[in-house]
């Protein structure tokens, strides 16, 4: 509070102007610009991809490689089940495949031999038909054996539980040594690569939101992100008379995480706003001021009421400035010029 009072007193004690000859500072005018009229609401960040990995085979948990809050890459092994039964099933399936392959090779050789004899008209048609049937049956058994082997491989692969996508483990549902069955939840996680924000839009604004379908989200560090798309639910909450809206965020390096509260600004029309470069604003606590240069080149420090940042280094001025008034782009340089002018007197 003491620093704030000192700053306010400093504003009052600064000289009202300096001569034009001492002012060679770059300036920019305050200008009216047509910008989107926005409705700013609170929103919450959530992950687009969030899932619970479940067991697809039975077995005892032998190894848990990740825990809650751990980061995993897509395809990482996160949990391993005991695979003794599955390996035994694979061995049996491979043995059956070898047997079926041998039977098929034998039937194919017999078929070729009988066909050669049949073409020389040394055996009856019925013998040729039996060879054809035997070959087809052997081929069918071979295909069944291959399918059994593939199923056994799949069952063995189910004992190695991998991450479906890169993300953070949010919950672990099993412990080491626990026996699980198909369908039982193992781990839950979320992906940080794809995020969206969810909010409730009042009924009076939903028609404009549907018309413009534009929104931007402000992060906790003040960065504004344009929403890639909007999803508007076609029904209202009967208790609050609001519509649920989702805004898809771009895949970028942003300081947002699921569960965070943010601001979302929906375009609901157009309006005229008085803008100045954001670099010209000198802020102390809740107060803001700019150095204004008049037509004679004199500088004065003036308190303003700023609005929201409009992107591209521009900020809205709600009060304290008029259109076409010029502000100094570097307020520290302006303060230094004033001090030099005071010292030279």
């Amino acid at each position: 509070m003491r620093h704030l009072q000192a700053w306010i007193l400093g504003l009052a004690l600064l000289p009202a102007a300096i001569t034009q000859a001492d002012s060679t500072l770059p300036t920019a005018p305050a200008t009216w610009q047509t910008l989107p009229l926005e409705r700013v609401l609170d929103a919450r960040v959530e992950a687009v991809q969030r899932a619970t990995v479940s067991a697809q085979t039975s077995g005892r948990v032998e190894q848990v490689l990740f825990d809650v809050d751990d980061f995993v890459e897509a395809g990482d092994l996160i949990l391993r089940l005991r695979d003794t039964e599955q390996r035994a099933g694979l061995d049996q399936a491979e043995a059956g495949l070898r047997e079926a392959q041998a039977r098929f090779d034998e039937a194919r050789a017999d078929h070729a031999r009988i066909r050669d004899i049949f073409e020389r008209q040394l055996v009856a048609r019925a013998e040729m038909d039996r060879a054809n049937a035997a070959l087809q049956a052997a081929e069918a058994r071979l295909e069944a054996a291959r399918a059994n082997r593939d199923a056994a491989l799949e069952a063995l692969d189910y004992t190695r539980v991998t991450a479906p996508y890169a993300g953070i483990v949010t919950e672990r549902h099993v412990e080491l040594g626990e026996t699980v069955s198909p369908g039982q939840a193992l781990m839950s996680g979320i992906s940080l690569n794809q995020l969206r924000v969810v909010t409730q839009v009042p009924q009076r604004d939903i028609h404009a939101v549907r018309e413009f379908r534009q929104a931007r989200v402000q992060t906790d560090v003040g960065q504004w992100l344009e929403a890639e798309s909007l999803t508007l639910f076609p029904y209202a909450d009967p208790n609050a008379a609001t519509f649920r809206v989702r805004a898809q965020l771009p895949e970028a390096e942003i300081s947002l995480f699921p569960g965070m509260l943010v601001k979302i600004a929906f375009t609901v029309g157009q309006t005229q706003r008085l803008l100045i470069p954001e670099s010209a604003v000198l802020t102390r606590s809740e107060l803001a001021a700019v150095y204004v240069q008049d037509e004679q080149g004199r500088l004065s420090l003036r308190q303003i009421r700023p609005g929201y940042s409009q992107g591209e280094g521009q900020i809205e001025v709600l009060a304290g400035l008029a259109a076409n008034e010029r502000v100094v782009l570097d307020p520290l340089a302006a303060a230094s010029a004033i001090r030099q002018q005071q010292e030279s007197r």
Side-chain angles (χ1 to χ4, degrees):
M1 186 67 182
R2 183 178 301 171
H3 294 297
L4 179 60
Q5 293 174 345
W7 192 70
I8 297 175
L9 180 60
L11 294 182
L13 295 178
L14 282 174
I18 63 174
T19 63
Q20 184 177 4
D22 293 334
S23 178
T24 58
L25 302 172
T27 62
T31 57
W32 288 104
Q33 296 186 28
T34 301
L35 296 173
L37 178 63
E38 294 178 326
R39 170 73 161 156
V40 180
L41 301 171
D42 291 324
R44 188 175 298 276
V45 181
E46 68 176 24
V48 176
Q49 292 180 325
R50 48 184 177 178
T52 297
V53 179
S54 301
Q56 295 179 278
T57 187
S58 59
R60 183 166 57 88
V61 179
E62 281 198 336
Q63 192 176 15
V64 179
L65 293 97
F66 293 93
D67 208 338
V68 176
D69 292 337
D70 288 343
F71 178 81
V72 298
E73 294 286 354
D76 279 352
L77 180 65
I78 59 176
L79 188 143
R80 189 196 305 271
L81 302 178
R82 185 178 182 182
D83 59 3
T84 304
E85 181 181 350
Q86 287 77 10
R87 287 193 178 278
L90 177 60
D91 292 341
Q92 183 178 0
E94 289 180 339
L97 177 59
R98 290 193 296 270
E99 179 184 3
Q101 184 68 55
R103 295 294 186 185
F104 174 75
D105 293 341
E106 180 183 10
R108 184 170 56 184
D110 289 343
H111 179 271
R113 184 172 54 256
I114 294 174
R115 183 179 59 189
D116 182 62
I117 299 174
F118 176 74
E119 290 176 352
R120 289 183 289 165
Q121 299 182 351
L122 298 178
V123 296
R125 182 69 174 179
E127 192 67 22
M128 188 69 232
D129 291 341
R130 280 193 294 271
N132 287 333
L135 180 60
Q136 292 174 0
E139 186 176 8
R141 285 193 293 270
L142 179 60
E143 292 177 355
R146 287 172 177 166
N148 290 336
R149 191 273 312 271
D150 292 342
L153 282 172
E154 190 76 8
L156 179 61
D157 187 60
Y158 287 158
T159 63
R160 296 170 50 85
V161 182
T162 59
Y165 46 76
I168 302 295
V169 178
T170 58
E171 191 172 359
R172 193 182 77 182
H173 304 283
V174 294
E175 299 294 336
L176 189 66
E178 182 178 346
T179 300
V180 300
S181 56
Q184 183 174 344
L186 301 176
M187 279 191 182
S188 298
I190 58 175
S191 171
L192 301 181
N193 293 332
Q194 294 184 346
L195 300 176
R196 64 191 177 198
V197 298
V198 181
T199 188
Q200 298 290 336
V201 177
Q203 180 177 327
R204 64 179 180 272
D205 297 320
I206 193 62
H207 297 294
V209 173
R210 289 185 186 276
E211 177 184 355
F212 289 95
R213 288 188 172 271
Q214 292 181 352
R216 58 186 186 137
V217 176
Q218 187 180 38
T219 68
D220 59 331
V221 296
Q223 178 186 8
W224 284 96
L225 301 171
E226 293 293 333
E228 291 187 337
S229 62
L230 296 181
T231 301
L232 291 81
F233 286 56
Y235 53 87
D237 183 340
N239 297 320
T242 57
F243 286 79
R244 183 179 176 88
V245 177
R246 290 176 179 166
Q248 183 72 37
L249 296 178
E251 293 188 25
E253 294 293 332
I254 55 179
S255 58
L256 291 180
F257 297 92
M260 292 178 63
L261 287 175
V262 295
K263 295 291 186 181
I264 182 169
F266 292 99
T267 299
V268 294
Q270 291 185 334
T271 184
Q272 292 284 320
R273 299 184 186 274
L274 186 63
L275 301 185
I276 62 172
E278 200 164 2
S279 62
V281 181
L282 181 66
T283 58
R284 292 294 185 274
S285 185
E286 297 180 357
L287 297 179
V290 294
Y291 283 96
V292 181
Q293 185 182 63
D294 62 16
E295 295 179 354
Q296 287 74 38
R298 294 173 298 182
L299 299 179
S300 61
L301 184 63
R302 188 183 305 174
Q303 184 177 348
I304 65 169
R305 183 157 63 94
Y308 282 107
S309 173
Q310 300 299 317
E312 299 182 358
Q314 299 287 308
I315 189 171
E316 179 185 8
V317 177
L318 301 177
L321 275 180
N324 298 322
E325 285 191 299
R326 304 192 69 87
V327 295
V328 179
L329 298 181
D330 188 347
L332 296 181
S336 177
I338 291 179
R339 284 195 299 270
Q340 292 176 5
Q341 180 69 21
Q342 288 177 323
E343 294 172 357
S344 64
R345 293 179 178 176

